[in-house]
Amino acid sequence: MKDYRFDREYMECVSDILEHPVFNRLDEFTQHAGSSRRDHCIQVSYLAYTICKKRGLDYVSAARAGLLHDLFLYDWKDVYRRFGGLYHGFDHPKAALENAEKYFELNEKERNIILRHMFPLTLIPPRYAEGLVINYADERCCAAEVFSVMRAKMQDRYRRLAVKAQSARG
Ligand SMILES: [Fe+2]
Ligand SMILES: [Fe+2]
C-alpha cells in the first residue's frame, strides 16, 4: 500500500482528524503489541478508503469512520483483565462513537460504521456496504499487526539461538 501522507485526495478527506489532538492521543495506546492505536486506525482507514474508491462506494465516509472506529481513550488490556474480552468487544465501539460525536461532525453512515465495526461479535451487522469494508479492513490490519509481531519475535529467537550455537562451537 502506498504512503497515505502522499495521497492528496485522501489527506483532503481526513486532515482535520489527523491533526486533532484527541485523535493523536491514540498514539499513547498500544493496539496489537508493536503498533499504536493511532497507526492501526490510519491503516484501517486508508485500506478501506482504497477499496471503497475502487468499488465506487462512499470513500470519504469510509476514510473518516476508519480513523474514528477505535477512538476509545483507555488501555483495552485493563478492561480485558477486569471484565473479559467479550465485554471489551461489545463496549469499545460505543465508547469510540461517543468520543467521535463529541469531537467531530459525523453523518449517519459514519455513526453506523463505528458502532457496528465489531460485527459479527456484536451480532447486528453494519447497515452500509462501507461498514462491511471497514470490518474487513480492521480484521486484515489486526492479522497483519499480530503476524508482524510474531515474525519479529521468531526472528529474535532464531538470532539468539544462532549466537548461542556459535559461542558453543567456540
Ligand atoms: Fe475495534
Ligand atoms: Fe480496529
Side-chain angles (χ1 to χ4, degrees):
M1 213 162 40
K2 96 182 197 196
D3 190 328
Y4 71 93
R5 289 169 298 185
F6 301 117
D7 188 330
R8 198 172 46 82
E9 217 180 333
Y10 173 74
M11 292 302 284
E12 273 168 19
C13 300
V14 294
S15 59
D16 61 316
I17 300 176
L18 287 173
E19 286 161 14
H20 198 284
V22 171
F23 177 75
N24 284 303
R25 276 196 59 200
L26 295 181
D27 223 9
E28 296 166 23
F29 303 99
T30 302
Q31 189 72 355
H32 301 111
S35 68
S36 81
R37 191 170 305 146
R38 181 180 181 278
D39 291 343
H40 166 75
C41 288
I42 293 172
Q43 294 290 321
V44 171
S45 165
Y46 194 49
L47 177 58
Y49 165 87
T50 310
I51 295 170
C52 285
K53 203 151 191 250
K54 264 192 207 147
R55 302 277 159 118
L57 296 170
D58 178 359
Y59 55 85
V60 179
S61 293
R64 295 182 69 81
L67 283 183
L68 301 172
H69 82 285
D70 278 337
L71 191 69
F72 56 99
L73 302 165
Y74 53 82
D75 188 341
W76 65 266
K77 285 186 238 68
D78 292 340
V79 176
Y80 190 94
R81 270 192 292 268
R82 288 177 65 192
F83 305 107
L86 212 55
Y87 180 86
H88 168 66
F90 278 104
D91 191 62
H92 81 269
K94 290 184 219 149
L97 179 58
E98 214 170 276
N99 284 330
E101 283 184 314
K102 195 167 162 188
Y103 299 105
F104 303 95
E105 212 163 289
L106 308 181
N107 61 32
E108 176 46 33
K109 190 183 285 180
E110 290 159 358
R111 268 186 220 107
N112 189 266
I113 291 172
I114 296 166
L115 191 61
R116 301 294 174 218
H117 84 265
M118 287 303 286
F119 175 77
L121 179 76
T122 47
L123 302 176
I124 303 171
R127 197 178 299 151
Y128 305 95
E130 292 81 358
L132 290 172
V133 174
I134 289 285
N135 290 24
Y136 165 76
D138 194 23
E139 280 179 21
R140 213 180 108 172
C141 290
C142 286
E145 287 156 22
V146 170
F147 179 72
S148 77
V149 170
M150 279 169 59
R151 194 175 56 184
K153 275 187 185 166
M154 279 171 68
Q155 280 171 342
D156 186 50
R157 203 168 166 191
Y158 177 76
R159 223 174 284 127
R160 276 187 223 194
L161 282 171
V163 170
K164 223 174 172 180
Q166 185 83 26
S167 57
R169 268 194 300 246

